Amino acid sequence: MSRNPSSLSIIPDEHAHDLQQAHLLAQVASAVASIAFFVSIESLSDLVSGAAGRALGTKTVKRERTDMHKYIGRMGERNFCRKYRMSKEAFWTLLDIIEKHLPSTGEKRKRGATPNGPITKAARLSMALRYFAGGDPLDIVEVHGVGDDEVTNSAWNVVDAIHKSPELDIKFPETHEEQVQCARGFKAKSQILIDCCLGAIDGMLVWMNKPNITDQKVIGFGPAKFFCGRKMKYGLNMMGVCDSHKRFIWVEVNMPGAASDFYAFDESALKAKLESDGFLRPGLCLFGDNAYVNTPYMCTPWRNVSRGPKDAMNFFHSQLRINIECNFGILVHRWGMLRKPMPVNLEVRKISSLVLALCKLHNYCIDKRCEEVDAPSDSDLFNIAVDGGLFLPRMDNSRNAFWEYSNEDRLDALLDGGAHMDDHTQAQRRHYRYDADKPCNKILAEVVKMGYERPDYSRDRLDAEKDD
């Protein structure tokens, strides 16, 4: 007796119903997985495109956004300057400059609404400047009525906007006419009318925490290179050049903290520019300290002298070179976050970008006649102290103080860290040793010819320092 093969069954009838249910559940699970996949792809697309919106199911935290025009309008000018490190007028003008490069306020979102209202661009700039000044992010969040991550988000939004604004670029004088104009500014400050100084150069340590493992792999060397033994801090060597108005005309933040100022300059794009044929007007040079060496484009003090024409020349040289120390002093006093280590796990490249943006803001404030730097607000001083930041006695002990060059507030913890020879040889420093056509020789000859001497008040101060 034959059977139809199609009627054969390998599953007993009592299990057929269970099998049908299993198939149905598998189909449902497949459908759910497909939906989840497409939702995750849409969310990823939103993330990549920068679309605003929160994760589905996120609960709204009720916050009241601060009206920045009213908030700033109620604040006195002096109090505003202590908090924002610039005038009200400079704040609004800066917003006009960078506004087009700031992200959307969030009024148009791809998914969901803005239940607490948009975060305005004025609020973004306000949060960033308060953060740069050394303010506590938790205080800034409370004042502006925003989420905890919006302070740092706003800071990086503003940093990016600054770098996209050509009006704020740091510019080195490219033409001979521009270079002569810079030299005239220094000549007006010189007691003996030195006319060859194009700019003042020095290095400063940008304080940071120990680089993390990921950052070390990206950079290609370990944390020891970032440790400045002279200052016992991790950091970056920032090379800066300023003009007679204390504006930066060149900034590089490319070297780790262990690098000497000589090495940082030797490897810089600026040195290559100065050595290129025809770029630098003959007779002009930079003024630096003894971390650098005398060359046709660099003038440094004479070593190991205490009397005579060379000592006199050192005094008149320092009158101009001191501008870069003043420049660093103003920069750090203005932006309090430079008085303490950069936030933990902040990438080196982002630190460099941030510091460059602060230097651009420094120039902007000088141009807007905000040269006077007020003492920080009490809350900022407290936050800087809590984070282990530098204490500056004269400024920090008086609410009415303004920045001025003072040995009491000199940035000894950040300056002179690159004055060593650990990464180069004496032979490298002697490359121009026998070149007679150096600015230092010409200035010395003028000092001898005119019989210039170090002033008595400076001599008395030096003698008092030796006695101490």
Side-chain angles (χ1 to χ4, degrees):
M1 180 176 175
S2 65
R3 292 190 179 186
N4 186 351
S6 63
S7 64
L8 294 175
S9 176
I10 60 175
I11 301 177
D13 291 341
E14 60 268 22
H15 297 303
H17 178 67
D18 294 337
L19 180 63
Q20 290 177 352
Q21 284 186 324
H23 278 302
L24 179 61
L25 291 174
Q27 290 173 350
V28 171
S30 177
V32 170
S34 298
I35 293 171
F37 173 78
F38 285 112
V39 168
S40 65
I41 289 296
E42 183 180 0
S43 299
L44 179 61
S45 175
D46 289 350
L47 180 63
V48 172
S49 64
R54 298 176 298 153
L56 293 174
T58 302
K59 293 183 179 180
T60 298
V61 177
K62 292 295 183 181
R63 298 186 178 93
E64 184 176 350
R65 305 283 194 238
T66 299
D67 185 320
M68 295 312 302
H69 284 83
K70 291 181 179 179
Y71 176 74
I72 293 175
R74 292 193 300 265
M75 199 179 300
E77 185 68 34
R78 180 74 191 280
N79 189 31
F80 183 87
C81 289
R82 291 188 69 192
K83 287 180 175 291
Y84 289 88
R85 320 310 282 155
M86 63 178 66
S87 66
K88 291 183 181 181
E89 180 184 357
F91 175 92
W92 294 115
T93 303
L94 178 60
L95 181 61
D96 290 340
I97 293 173
I98 68 172
E99 188 173 18
K100 57 182 174 292
H101 302 298
L102 288 172
S104 166
T105 60
E107 292 164 317
K108 297 180 180 179
R109 301 177 68 168
K110 190 170 183 179
R111 182 178 69 247
T114 53
N116 292 319
I119 300 176
T120 65
K121 295 183 179 182
R124 294 283 184 197
L125 178 58
S126 172
M127 287 187 281
L129 293 181
R130 290 291 300 116
Y131 184 62
F132 299 156
D136 184 350
L138 295 179
D139 291 341
I140 299 171
V141 162
E142 184 176 352
V143 167
H144 293 82
V146 297
D148 293 345
D149 59 346
E150 292 299 345
V151 175
T152 52
N153 288 345
S154 298
W156 292 115
N157 290 155
V158 169
V159 167
D160 291 341
I162 288 171
H163 291 320
K164 291 177 182 177
S165 302
E167 303 95 320
L168 301 176
D169 285 349
I170 294 173
K171 299 176 182 177
F172 194 87
E174 297 286 332
T175 68
H176 286 185
E177 182 179 352
E178 291 172 342
Q179 293 167 10
V180 169
Q181 189 64 31
C182 267
R184 285 174 182 159
F186 281 106
K187 181 180 179 180
K189 286 190 164 187
S190 172
Q191 195 169 330
I192 62 171
L193 303 180
I194 294 175
D195 61 0
C196 63
C197 181
L198 171 60
I201 183 172
D202 205 352
M204 186 189 83
L205 185 71
V206 176
W207 195 358
M208 60 181 281
N209 283 282
K210 180 180 178 180
N212 59 40
I213 300 299
T214 302
D215 220 10
Q216 292 174 34
K217 291 180 179 178
V218 172
I219 299 164
F221 47 78
K225 293 290 185 181
F226 290 89
F227 188 73
C228 177
R230 293 173 66 90
K231 301 302 173 183
M232 302 302 291
K233 293 177 175 63
Y234 287 99
L236 298 174
N237 185 324
M238 168 187 169
M239 186 187 79
V241 183
C242 74
D243 63 13
S244 61
H245 300 288
K246 300 182 181 67
R247 290 181 300 226
F248 286 107
I249 57 176
W250 190 277
V251 174
E252 288 191 35
V253 197
N254 301 329
M255 287 291 168
S260 67
D261 290 346
F262 174 88
Y263 183 79
F265 175 72
D266 200 51
E267 295 292 315
S268 69
L270 177 59
K271 182 191 176 188
K273 185 185 284 285
L274 294 173
E275 289 184 340
S276 61
D277 290 339
F279 173 77
L280 185 64
R281 188 182 188 277
L284 297 184
C285 64
L286 301 178
F287 274 35
D289 60 20
N290 286 125
Y292 306 97
V293 294
N294 280 303
T295 68
Y297 47 79
M298 181 76 74
C299 182
T300 68
W302 296 95
R303 289 179 177 270
N304 304 319
V305 294
S306 58
R307 289 288 191 275
K310 289 184 177 180
D311 176 64
M313 191 212 114
N314 286 354
F315 169 79
F316 298 115
H317 174 278
S318 69
Q319 278 190 321
L320 304 186
R321 187 198 61 78
I322 203 69
N323 279 270
I324 186 61
E325 283 195 17
C326 294
N327 209 33
F328 286 144
I330 295 172
L331 176 73
V332 174
H333 280 69
R334 190 186 300 276
W335 306 121
M337 70 178 309
L338 294 174
R339 291 173 57 175
K340 56 185 182 177
M342 288 289 169
V344 177
N345 289 330
L346 189 60
E347 299 173 16
V348 170
R349 65 178 181 84
K350 298 195 80 171
I351 294 176
S352 298
S353 179
L354 171 59
V355 172
L356 182 58
L358 294 180
C359 292
K360 291 181 178 183
L361 287 178
H362 165 93
N363 283 5
Y364 171 78
C365 290
I366 298 291
D367 291 339
K368 289 299 176 182
R369 300 188 181 279
C370 301
E371 299 98 334
E372 287 190 335
V373 181
D374 287 84
S377 68
D378 294 344
S379 61
D380 290 354
L381 281 178
F382 178 79
N383 187 53
I384 291 169
V386 167
D387 289 343
L390 303 180
F391 176 64
L392 304 172
R394 190 187 60 81
M395 286 282 285
D396 292 350
N397 284 329
S398 174
R399 295 181 179 181
N400 297 318
F402 289 93
W403 181 90
E404 62 182 33
Y405 187 79
S406 165
N407 286 335
E408 195 175 5
D409 282 348
R410 188 179 186 273
L411 304 174
D412 290 327
L414 303 179
L415 296 176
D416 306 324
H420 63 81
M421 291 179 54
D422 297 343
D423 51 11
H424 61 281
T425 65
Q426 192 65 253
Q428 290 174 279
R429 300 178 68 88
R430 291 177 175 175
H431 182 68
Y432 291 99
R433 184 177 183 181
Y434 300 106
D435 190 336
D437 190 28
K438 292 184 291 190
C440 63
N441 293 327
K442 295 180 179 179
I443 298 174
L444 178 61
E446 185 68 14
V447 168
V448 172
K449 176 183 175 182
M450 301 303 296
Y452 294 130
E453 296 180 353
R454 179 185 287 269
D456 291 339
Y457 68 85
S458 176
R459 172 69 56 205
D460 293 341
R461 188 181 71 247
L462 288 179
D463 291 341
E465 291 175 357
K466 289 179 182 179
D467 293 339
D468 292 341

